[in-house]
Amino acid sequence: MKTGGLLHGVSRTPRLLLLLGMAGVWLLGGTERDARAQFGGLVSEDEFELSEIVQLDQADDTVLAQDMQRVKVYLADRQWGEAVETLRKMIENSHGKLFRISDRRYIRLRDYCHLQLASMPGEALHLYRSQVDSAARQWYEQGIEQRDSRLLSNVAEQALASSWGDDALLALGEMALESGDYTAARWHWERIIPHSDAPATWPGYPDTDLDVPSVLARLVLVSILEGSTSRAREELAVFAQDYPDARGRLGGREVNYVEALGALLAESTAWPDEKCSSDWLTFAGCPARNKIAPEMIEVAEVAWRVPLRTLENRFAVPLSFHPLSVGPLVLVNLQREILVLDAATGKAAWNETAAYRAAFEGMAGAPFHPPNVLGIPQCTMTAYRGKLYARMGTAVTSRPQEEEQDFRPGYLVGVDLATQGGVIWWPPLTPEPGWAFEGSPVADQSNIYVAMRRSDVRPQAHVACFDARTGRRRWRTFVCSAETPAGGIFYENTHNLLTLEGETLYCNTNLGAVAALSAADGQLKWINLYPRETRGRLSEPAPHWRRDLNPCLYDRGTLMVAPADSPEIFALDAVTGGELWRTGSEVEDVLHLLGTTEEHLIAAGDKLYWIALGGADRGRVAYYWPDGNEKLGYGRGVLAGDCVLWPTREKIYVFDQKTARLKRAIDLVPLGVTGGNLLVADGRLLIATGTELIALSRHGSRGDVNSQELSLLDRPKSSHLAPQDVASSRGARRLLSRTETD
């Protein structure tokens, strides 16, 4: 029997448990060597083969082909009215469906129809405008009067090729620039003057009457302001050649664009770096997953250390902890409690205890870590404006299709840090049967957004939005479905994290697809299907299968992705989803995308890599270390100031971000500690190992070393809900104020 391409001739029998061992499958130990050790040479039939099919919610190819063929016939016969009517009906009935624009890229059917409308002959375009201009003009004028970007977006979304489409795009770009969203500003302005030297794959404006040099000057300005110096130089050189005498208003005065932009570009090289907050508010520091911490200090001693444990510590614990730094606090998710520590001392920050415990009746149901599981537990959180959001409980997100034993999936909690742990929602958010939260949310001022999985032989990836105040679900969108090595036979631990930039969510599904969604309504903007690795062995998985925390990294309009089911790293245009470059498989050991400089993506695994972002060498490894066969990496490093801090088991190596020069090494052995996941917080270097959190500091700043097992606080006294309210809530129990041990 073949189930989902996994394990030919193997079914869910005691033999399967022999295959798995009793300590979990490949990723649990955290390294490829650990995985091989778990099997002890007992595996003989452990090959898996995945289907290349990735299922999407796309428009019916047959119906679409018929509709588009009719449009072509109408246009050829100069039946403009019939062509316009057909396209408008297709837009009206698109319902968020996707259209394949190239072999691997899909866009909304609505956008494809707008592309066809914009490319119609002048007579057909004139007829179309006679039908939509009245509504478009009303949206535009009200949007300008009220400074309402939603009304202007109606023009761009529903009547782009109208007479008011280019005006709306210009105004939307101005608003985006004012808010600091440089990518959105560039995108709106680029669509006013679409490129004519390549086949159109995204709708732009067909025949603008706006001043072209003023639009192009704005694009150069965006590059300067966002710090893309090399790009700005190239754009300005082309502009100076084409429009040397162009003049217009810039910065409130009439200028020669070339002279003014040249002066601004020269000044920008001396601009001080934008002040960076020391807070580390989510995995990788910020929702774009690309934060550089403030300058790192020299460290010389252990300031404090705190033991860590989770629901699944009975196994060989991998590096699962990813602390946050919020003001004077350090927070760590332990699956069933959240440690809230004073960053200076490592002691409990609240009520002389060390944890806020979000434990509810029946929430921590078994099995938390069944023996036949793929993947390791991961513990993340997100803080936003005094609120803390975390997925807690079991890390299991998919279950065997024939498994009769029930388990309660992980749940989402919201905590008010301003009141020392007041519960935001009661009860916590729990998914429906068969569903699971894949990781902790990202947040904005109104909502939280989280990846979800629906368990099946082909697991389904979804993205959901919940009201940050009430916990009510606003929308949920299906992204894709594809086979995994679990094949519906094993449990799976997954922890997919979303990336949020501006009003767009990005999702690396690790199921063969990367997607962009509108944060406002959940509509898919585009999907890119990358080539998957479809064959492998459970006992000797390829290194890339260990990428278990790998959200998209966003950098100035570019999205970088290192999927677990591919040995390569991909760079995509964040707005269109088009592929910009890809690496080869020489970086398949990369586990972490640490961040970017202007010229390089810095990635780490067994080795540390600098990957070129621009020029003819983009996508190629510019530097790597070490240059031998050593496999040294151990834990997630961090970019701090102008340095890269990269952990191994015995040392933390410090490199120059730009030159890749090794500056120094911090020897951990004399301090009695090991490497792990790094965080710079409140002038200290934190190391989260599999069993403890360690703070390193300068000489003389040592706090009280806290090496005792921490007591657990169930509920702070200043919580929003009174104890009697908690006791009466359905599915919850009164949280205890006593110390517990598990």
Side-chain angles (χ1 to χ4, degrees):
M1 180 182 72
K2 182 178 178 181
T3 306
L6 177 65
L7 296 179
H8 296 267
V10 178
S11 61
R12 190 171 55 83
T13 64
R15 180 184 177 188
L16 178 121
L17 294 180
L18 177 63
L19 166 68
L20 295 171
M22 297 305 293
V25 180
W26 78 36
L27 297 179
L28 177 64
T31 69
E32 187 177 3
R33 293 180 295 277
D34 294 336
R36 286 197 296 266
Q38 289 171 3
F39 292 100
L42 296 176
V43 178
S44 58
E45 295 182 79
D46 66 335
E47 295 182 357
F48 64 84
E49 181 179 350
L50 308 179
S51 168
E52 294 183 354
I53 296 175
V54 179
Q55 296 176 335
L56 306 174
D57 186 15
Q58 64 186 93
D60 185 277
D61 287 341
T62 302
V63 175
L64 185 59
Q66 293 172 353
D67 289 340
M68 292 311 303
Q69 183 59 36
R70 281 200 296 270
V71 171
K72 291 180 180 179
V73 171
Y74 291 145
L75 292 175
D77 293 341
R78 302 176 64 83
Q79 299 181 51
W80 313 130
E82 288 80 358
V84 169
E85 182 181 2
T86 301
L87 287 170
R88 292 189 68 186
K89 284 184 177 179
M90 290 174 66
I91 291 173
E92 182 179 347
N93 299 321
S94 60
H95 302 305
K97 297 288 185 179
L98 297 170
F99 175 80
R100 187 174 66 182
I101 197 74
S102 63
D103 286 345
R104 294 191 171 275
R105 187 159 68 93
Y106 293 74
I107 65 175
R108 293 183 302 178
L109 177 57
R110 169 191 294 271
D111 290 322
Y112 180 72
C113 291
H114 281 305
L115 175 60
Q116 302 309 306
L117 287 167
S119 61
M120 290 191 307
E123 293 177 76
L125 190 59
H126 178 76
L127 176 63
Y128 169 72
R129 286 173 172 170
S130 71
Q131 299 176 10
V132 301
D133 269 5
S134 177
R137 177 176 181 171
Q138 185 176 0
W139 286 329
Y140 174 76
E141 291 180 345
Q142 289 182 358
I144 292 296
E145 181 181 354
Q146 301 171 19
R147 293 192 58 79
D148 189 337
S149 61
R150 291 174 298 177
L151 290 171
L152 294 170
S153 294
N154 283 344
V155 182
E157 287 284 315
Q158 301 184 42
L160 176 64
S162 71
S163 299
W164 301 91
D166 54 347
D167 299 281
L169 290 173
L170 185 68
L172 284 167
E174 296 286 357
M175 290 182 179
L177 185 68
E178 290 174 5
S179 66
D181 189 347
Y182 302 125
T183 298
R186 175 183 288 115
W187 173 236
H188 292 311
W189 292 334
E190 282 182 340
R191 295 176 73 188
I192 296 174
I193 313 169
H195 298 289
S196 59
D197 57 349
T201 60
W202 201 276
Y205 197 75
D207 55 352
T208 185
D209 58 0
L210 297 175
D211 182 58
V212 171
S214 71
V215 177
L216 295 176
R218 284 170 167 82
L219 293 173
V220 180
L221 177 63
V222 165
S223 297
I224 296 172
L225 294 178
E226 75 176 0
S228 298
T229 305
S230 298
R231 178 174 185 164
R233 287 196 186 101
E234 295 173 2
E235 291 173 339
L236 183 57
V238 174
F239 185 88
Q241 182 177 353
D242 295 342
Y243 304 100
D245 301 319
R247 298 184 65 83
R249 294 191 67 80
L250 191 68
R253 57 192 180 93
E254 185 80 12
V255 297
N256 175 284
Y257 282 132
V258 173
E259 294 174 358
L261 291 171
L264 187 64
L265 178 59
E267 292 173 9
S268 70
T269 59
W271 289 347
D273 292 334
E274 185 177 348
K275 187 175 181 181
C276 180
S277 166
S278 60
D279 288 344
W280 199 261
L281 300 179
T282 188
F283 178 81
C286 65
R289 313 297 181 185
N290 189 19
K291 181 167 182 174
I292 298 178
E295 188 69 38
M296 180 53 204
I297 64 169
E298 295 288 343
V299 295
E301 65 181 12
V302 175
W304 50 263
R305 58 202 306 170
V306 172
L308 304 175
R309 58 178 184 163
T310 72
L311 297 169
E312 298 161 9
N313 275 108
R314 66 184 185 274
F315 302 104
V317 179
L319 300 176
S320 298
F321 303 110
H322 302 275
L324 303 186
S325 171
V326 184
L329 303 178
V330 172
L331 304 101
V332 191
N333 181 357
L334 301 183
Q335 291 188 282
R336 198 161 52 183
E337 58 260 9
I338 297 173
L339 295 186
V340 183
L341 307 174
D342 185 296
T345 65
K347 293 183 177 180
W350 297 340
N351 295 346
E352 299 183 356
T353 62
Y356 167 76
R357 185 175 177 85
F360 300 89
E361 181 71 32
M363 288 295 171
F368 288 111
H369 194 83
N372 53 330
V373 63
L374 291 173
I376 64 173
Q378 295 286 0
C379 302
T380 65
M381 297 174 290
T382 287
Y384 184 84
R385 294 188 177 180
K387 305 296 190 295
L388 185 71
Y389 307 99
R391 185 195 77 175
M392 305 186 71
T394 179
V396 172
T397 56
S398 293
R399 56 184 287 182
Q401 294 303 295
E402 300 177 8
E403 182 60 65
E404 297 178 358
Q405 184 178 10
D406 189 23
F407 76 97
R408 288 181 171 84
Y411 52 94
L412 295 185
V413 299
V415 177
D416 187 350
L417 297 178
T419 60
Q420 295 192 356
V423 177
I424 299 175
W425 325 295
W426 194 277
L429 304 186
T430 55
E432 310 96 307
W435 290 79
F437 296 117
E438 284 217 69
S440 293
V442 290
D444 59 25
Q445 59 187 358
S446 301
N447 303 307
I448 61 171
Y449 310 92
V450 64
M452 297 191 70
R453 174 174 284 213
R454 190 168 188 177
S455 186
D456 204 341
V457 173
R458 290 175 176 264
Q460 299 178 13
H462 297 250
V463 175
C465 169
F466 295 86
D467 186 289
R469 184 178 59 87
T470 66
R472 180 179 61 86
R473 193 176 79 209
R474 294 185 182 272
W475 52 259
R476 182 166 62 196
T477 300
F478 169 75
V479 178
C480 71
S481 177
E483 290 182 353
T484 70
I489 298 176
F490 306 102
Y491 286 94
E492 283 187 280
N493 290 333
T494 59
H495 202 100
N496 286 347
L497 299 175
L498 302 177
T499 298
L500 175 62
E501 175 61 28
E503 298 179 353
T504 302
L505 294 159
Y506 301 99
C507 178
N508 171 25
T509 65
N510 293 305
L511 296 174
V514 180
L517 302 90
S518 167
D521 57 16
Q523 285 199 37
L524 285 164
K525 295 184 175 183
W526 54 258
I527 287 182
N528 184 293
L529 303 184
Y530 53 83
R532 303 186 78 197
E533 186 71 41
T534 59
R535 295 171 179 264
R537 297 182 63 189
L538 294 177
S539 61
E540 290 188 278
H544 59 81
W545 287 107
R546 295 183 283 133
R547 297 171 183 168
D548 50 351
L549 268 181
N550 54 346
C552 303
L553 184 152
Y554 177 92
D555 176 45
R556 295 167 295 178
T558 299
L559 207 64
M560 279 151 277
V561 195
D565 51 347
S566 171
E568 299 179 287
I569 298 173
F570 302 89
L572 308 176
D573 185 299
V575 178
T576 69
E579 184 177 308
L580 301 175
W581 52 260
R582 67 171 68 177
T583 65
S585 59
E586 69 272 11
V587 295
E588 70 170 335
D589 69 291
V590 163
L591 304 183
H592 311 292
L593 303 183
L594 300 183
T596 56
T597 65
E598 184 177 354
E599 297 181 351
H600 297 106
L601 165 67
I602 300 177
D606 293 332
K607 299 178 183 293
L608 188 61
Y609 298 91
W610 281 255
I611 299 170
L613 292 178
D617 291 330
R618 64 180 187 172
R620 297 181 181 178
V621 175
Y623 313 103
Y624 66 94
W625 191 91
D627 58 4
N629 296 322
E630 301 95 333
K631 297 181 178 181
L632 298 182
Y634 185 70
R636 181 179 174 85
V638 66
L639 274 57
D642 60 356
C643 298
V644 182
L645 281 68
W646 186 54
T648 68
R649 290 182 182 271
E650 298 181 348
K651 295 182 179 181
I652 296 174
Y653 291 93
V654 182
F655 295 84
D656 184 279
Q657 284 179 19
K658 294 183 178 180
T659 65
R661 179 178 61 86
L662 177 60
K663 291 185 171 183
R664 62 185 181 277
I666 303 171
D667 194 351
L668 301 177
V669 175
L671 302 176
V673 301
T674 67
N677 298 324
L678 303 184
L679 173 64
V680 177
D682 196 32
R684 289 167 173 77
L685 175 60
L686 303 186
I687 307 174
T689 74
T691 58
E692 62 180 341
L693 181 64
I694 303 155
L696 304 182
S697 66
R698 298 185 182 94
H699 277 303
S701 58
R702 178 184 175 90
D704 293 334
V705 176
N706 186 357
S707 60
Q708 302 300 314
E709 185 67 32
L710 297 175
S711 59
L712 303 175
L713 173 67
D714 280 7
R715 188 177 183 80
K717 295 178 181 179
S718 56
S719 175
H720 286 175
L721 288 175
Q724 59 268 26
D725 298 326
V726 177
S728 62
S729 297
R730 183 180 179 183
R733 64 177 174 84
R734 179 172 179 175
L735 298 178
L736 306 178
S737 59
R738 62 180 175 83
T739 300
E740 292 185 353
T741 57
D742 294 324

